[in-house]
Amino acid sequence: MQFSLCVDSIYPEDGLKEKLERIKQAGFSYIEFWDWRDKDFKLIINSGLKVTNFSGNRVSSLTLDSKEKIIQEVNASINVAKKLKCKRIILLSDVLENDGSVKINSIS
């Protein structure tokens, strides 16, 4: 079994470059993350680490938003996944805050 580390939840005091270096130094080969919009793709691609998955809809809700908005966001995420050679994206039912908690106006 191979484990992946979430770059958004580990080493909170470090920037992305330092996190990737520390993850690799710890012997891991795989990473995942929450939102792709704040990531440096070139840095990730050149890190030698493989992206196993990431959140494909961080700003749209499957329960509250229009189908068109969701499709637009998922299509953008698919394009990012192709750039990162990532075969999996996670679809969330509700919009999340930056810390990963469910946004208050979401449905439980």
Side-chain angles (χ1 to χ4, degrees):
M1 176 187 291
Q2 296 289 330
F3 294 98
S4 64
L5 292 180
C6 180
V7 298
D8 294 313
S9 62
I10 195 163
Y11 309 125
E13 68 283 354
D14 291 339
L16 180 60
K17 182 178 180 181
E18 293 78 20
K19 288 180 184 202
L20 296 174
E21 289 170 357
R22 289 180 73 177
I23 290 168
K24 198 168 180 177
Q25 287 172 355
F28 291 90
S29 300
Y30 302 98
I31 59 168
E32 58 189 66
F33 47 84
W34 296 336
D35 196 353
W36 52 264
R37 287 166 190 78
D38 62 347
K39 301 300 181 282
D40 182 335
F41 302 141
K42 187 175 180 180
L43 190 62
I44 292 171
I45 291 167
N46 292 329
S47 72
L49 296 166
K50 173 135 179 66
V51 178
T52 58
N53 63 79
F54 62 88
S55 298
N57 65 316
R58 293 286 294 194
V59 297
S60 64
S61 168
L62 297 179
T63 58
L64 299 174
D65 289 320
S66 69
K67 179 171 66 172
E68 292 78 19
K69 181 177 179 181
I70 296 164
I71 289 171
Q72 182 179 9
E73 184 179 6
V74 171
N75 281 336
S77 296
I78 289 170
N79 289 332
V80 169
K82 288 177 182 178
K83 287 179 188 175
L84 297 173
K85 297 181 181 171
C86 175
K87 295 182 180 183
R88 295 171 199 88
I89 59 173
I90 300 166
L91 295 181
L92 308 165
S93 59
D94 292 304
V95 178
L96 299 182
E97 300 288 356
N98 289 337
D99 68 355
S101 63
V102 176
K103 196 166 188 169
I104 292 172
N105 65 350
S106 296
I107 299 172
S108 66

